[in-house]
Amino acid sequence: MLWLTPCIRKKMEFIMHIVFLVIALIFNALANILMKYANVRADLPESAEIMDKLTSLYLSWPFLSGLFLFGLNLLCYTRALSKMDLSVAYPVMVGTGFAIIGVTSYFLFNEKLGLLQVVGIVLILTGVTLVAQNSAV
């Protein structure tokens, strides 16, 4: 990359940090989905003993996988923040993650996704796009 002009090098570094942000938000969404799946799979009552929760929920492969993905998310997100404004990265992370989780939950967990929620997701993604566009200018 030494042979690239400083302008091109700077753009490529910024693109790499966008890639880190996208990977982080995918890891975050997957981690949340796995946490939900771990709870659905364990199907424990609120009054369950702590040992039952420990073995059925907290030591299950979906829970541990989700925990691992949260850790990877943290690493990638931190890397993205090294060159991105927090005021851009955070809305992109949260807004896009919200949309991914909302739609995925509808299909995987049969959660309700009404018209107002769909409109809300569209508005959030529109806002995320505007925030992200402003940073690219």
Side-chain angles (χ1 to χ4, degrees):
M1 225 163 78
L2 294 173
W3 54 271
L4 297 174
T5 65
C7 182
I8 293 174
R9 190 175 315 131
K10 186 176 179 180
K11 286 181 183 181
M12 287 185 67
E13 286 176 5
F14 186 74
I15 289 170
M16 282 306 301
H17 288 85
I18 291 172
V19 169
F20 278 113
L21 183 63
V22 169
I23 292 169
L25 74 89
I26 291 169
F27 284 161
N28 189 305
L30 286 173
N32 278 284
I33 291 164
L34 283 167
M35 293 295 172
K36 173 69 175 181
Y37 178 67
N39 276 285
V40 169
R41 188 170 173 258
D43 195 28
L44 292 170
E46 287 294 320
S47 60
E49 296 293 324
I50 189 70
M51 288 308 292
D52 291 335
K53 287 182 180 179
L54 181 64
T55 56
S56 296
L57 177 61
Y58 302 128
L59 294 178
S60 68
W61 71 264
F63 184 86
L64 294 174
S65 299
L67 199 58
F68 179 71
L69 287 174
F70 275 131
L72 292 178
N73 158 59
L74 184 62
L75 294 175
C76 291
Y77 186 59
T78 302
R79 180 72 176 159
L81 287 178
S82 69
K83 296 287 184 195
M84 296 182 77
D85 291 343
L86 180 61
S87 62
V88 174
Y90 187 73
V92 170
M93 174 77 120
V94 174
T96 307
F98 179 80
I100 291 169
I101 290 170
V103 172
T104 304
S105 296
Y106 173 78
F107 290 107
L108 291 181
F109 305 117
N110 296 319
E111 293 183 6
K112 289 173 50 176
L113 189 63
L115 178 61
L116 288 178
Q117 288 171 303
V118 171
V119 170
I121 288 171
V122 169
L123 290 173
I124 288 170
L125 290 177
T126 301
V128 166
T129 302
L130 292 174
V131 168
Q133 288 297 319
N134 192 38
S135 74
V137 174

